[in-house]
Amino acid sequence: MKKRIVSGMRPTGKMHLGHLHGALDNWKKLQHEYECFYFIADWHALTSEYASTGIIKESIMDIIIDWISIGLDPEVSTFFIQSHIREHAELHLVFSMITPLPWLERNPTYKEQLKELSQKDLYTYGFLGYPVLQAADILMYKANGVPVGEDQAPHVELTREIARRFNHLYKGIFPEPDTLLAPTSKLLGIDRRKMSKSYNNAIYLTDTDDEIRAKTGQMITDPQRARRTDPGNPDVCNVYSFHEIYTPVDTVRQIDKDCRSAGIGCVECKQLMAENLLKALAPIRIKRAELESDLGRVREIVEQGNSRARSIAVETMAEVKEAIGV
Ligand code: SF4
């Protein structure tokens, strides 16, 4: 029996290269090692998008299509939509009863996000309780592990604490999941900040060739290299990080040499990278076009995943209710 993992994505916009190399590549690798449950976290999206929900519905199918296009296999992994499994809300309610407020208030991610998303009013119960819903998502499937980025690691720790508290108060039915730290992506946005929709600096999987060429043309390179004749430093250049992923290794070595000796200019270097990036994205786009012309098949995949997830969720909730005596 393979160990089980659960991970989700909030449907708050299109997938970009940061998602691809930050989470999805890792999910793809894990699907052969674990029994994977990947879900669209639409209730989680509500915690920040409650005042303007249009983006949530718009993004759901897009994201599922991207998952399959980049190589996540619905025959191997289970894809489902959180809000279609109402047991998540029930378990969230139960966990809300037993989670002490200070556990949530001391959460470092909560404090950081309040600062980062200061343009939104996030002083809501739902936003504070985000990790409790996350605990319900994970423990519902009795996951052994949760692949997350470093910023989400405190949430997994909180999940473990909630599992322990439930097991202690009622009955030992929940395992304590491990944190499976995802490797951090080196790719930054075109302005050298973290790639993010909110910074308007992302390259999306759905961008056209022209959009990708235009965006790569605007990328900030080594900030110390002011003139074409100045030697550059690939170690601090975001374009070079892209080359390391998309360009054949011999060419990458040559770029390293040429950059340091001012043998190549940044314009030429970016153009070369853009063409290699487009080549790498080509199979993803072909798969995407195929799926877009057969949305019925995509809906079927989601329905199958929902029903697989639901059958486990129903069993877990029965055990939970039996354990707490309601
Ligand atoms: S030549 Fe290439 S690697 Fe060197 S600084 Fe310019 S873009 Fe970056």
Side-chain angles (χ1 to χ4, degrees):
M1 281 274 282
K2 282 182 179 171
K3 286 186 171 180
R4 185 177 286 170
I5 59 171
V6 175
S7 200
M9 253 179 205
R10 286 164 23 104
T12 53
K14 295 173 180 177
M15 297 281 98
H16 53 62
L17 297 181
H19 294 120
L20 178 61
H21 298 297
L24 295 177
D25 276 349
N26 190 41
W27 283 16
K28 210 161 81 173
K29 190 172 93 11
L30 294 172
Q31 71 180 344
H32 302 295
E33 296 166 30
Y34 292 89
E35 184 193 6
C36 300
F37 284 75
Y38 296 137
F39 68 98
I40 301 281
D42 51 350
W43 274 332
H44 281 291
L46 271 183
T47 56
S48 59
E49 309 302 317
Y50 62 86
S52 162
T53 55
I55 189 75
I56 299 177
K57 199 169 180 193
E58 248 172 61
S59 311
I60 290 177
M61 282 301 260
D62 257 352
I63 294 178
I64 299 271
I65 289 174
D66 279 332
W67 285 359
I68 305 171
S69 307
I70 64 104
L72 288 178
D73 184 350
E75 299 291 326
V76 176
S77 303
T78 299
F79 302 161
F80 68 94
I81 299 176
Q82 183 189 34
S83 69
H84 292 209
I85 317 294
R86 66 174 184 202
E87 284 75 11
H88 284 239
E90 275 189 272
L91 192 53
H92 173 223
L93 180 106
V94 170
F95 287 163
S96 296
M97 301 298 168
I98 66 168
T99 305
L101 262 185
W103 288 8
L104 301 174
E105 286 163 342
R106 74 176 183 219
N107 172 15
T109 316
Y110 172 66
K111 291 180 193 159
E112 273 162 36
Q113 293 241 297
L114 279 182
K115 263 193 235 152
E116 215 173 281
L117 305 173
S118 56
Q119 73 283 12
K120 292 187 175 161
D121 178 7
L122 296 179
Y123 288 92
T124 58
Y125 162 71
F127 193 69
L128 179 69
Y130 188 110
V132 182
L133 179 55
Q134 216 169 27
D137 302 331
I138 297 163
L139 297 177
M140 183 70 82
Y141 302 93
K142 301 186 178 177
N144 308 98
V146 190
V148 284
E150 229 164 296
D151 58 327
Q152 293 286 309
H155 290 185
V156 184
E157 190 45 46
L158 201 61
T159 296
R160 293 160 59 82
E161 286 178 282
I162 291 173
R164 268 200 295 276
R165 189 159 166 85
F166 182 98
N167 291 345
H168 172 73
L169 283 170
Y170 308 113
K171 191 177 174 188
I173 62 176
F174 292 118
E176 291 179 34
D178 293 327
T179 304
L180 307 176
L181 266 193
T184 322
S185 163
K186 274 171 73 188
L187 295 191
L188 299 172
I190 60 173
D191 57 0
R192 280 179 109 228
R193 289 188 293 172
K194 183 184 169 194
M195 194 178 286
S196 158
K197 183 186 77 161
S198 36
Y199 294 147
N200 197 22
N201 65 359
I203 298 178
Y204 293 96
L205 298 179
T206 45
D207 278 345
T208 63
D209 288 11
D210 286 348
E211 283 167 334
I212 287 181
R213 288 194 182 103
K215 285 182 182 179
T216 48
Q218 291 162 19
M219 281 173 81
I220 297 178
T221 62
D222 170 4
Q224 300 300 320
R225 192 179 188 200
R227 287 174 296 268
R228 167 70 178 80
T229 47
D230 293 340
N233 180 3
D235 299 337
V236 298
C237 177
N238 190 28
V239 176
Y240 188 78
S241 304
F242 277 69
H243 274 301
E244 287 182 306
I245 295 179
Y246 297 112
T247 301
V249 70
D250 288 349
T251 317
V252 177
R253 268 192 222 118
Q254 190 60 45
I255 291 170
D256 184 290
K257 248 168 79 193
D258 290 347
C259 173
R260 291 178 199 277
S261 61
I264 186 171
C266 291
V267 173
E268 188 192 340
C269 188
K270 287 185 206 177
Q271 282 165 351
L272 178 63
M273 187 278 281
E275 296 315 310
N276 290 332
L277 169 58
L278 288 172
K279 254 186 241 162
L281 292 182
I284 298 177
R285 288 155 153 204
I286 293 171
K287 187 74 191 166
R288 169 169 255 286
E290 240 174 61
L291 293 163
E292 279 172 340
S293 64
D294 190 3
L295 288 179
R297 172 76 194 117
V298 182
R299 281 191 204 102
E300 231 171 72
I301 287 170
V302 175
E303 266 323 305
Q304 281 165 1
N306 281 346
S307 112
R308 229 177 292 157
R310 191 174 297 117
S311 65
I312 297 172
V314 165
E315 268 178 36
T316 304
M317 272 320 290
E319 272 184 89
V320 166
K321 285 175 183 170
E322 198 261 329
I324 59 182
V326 294

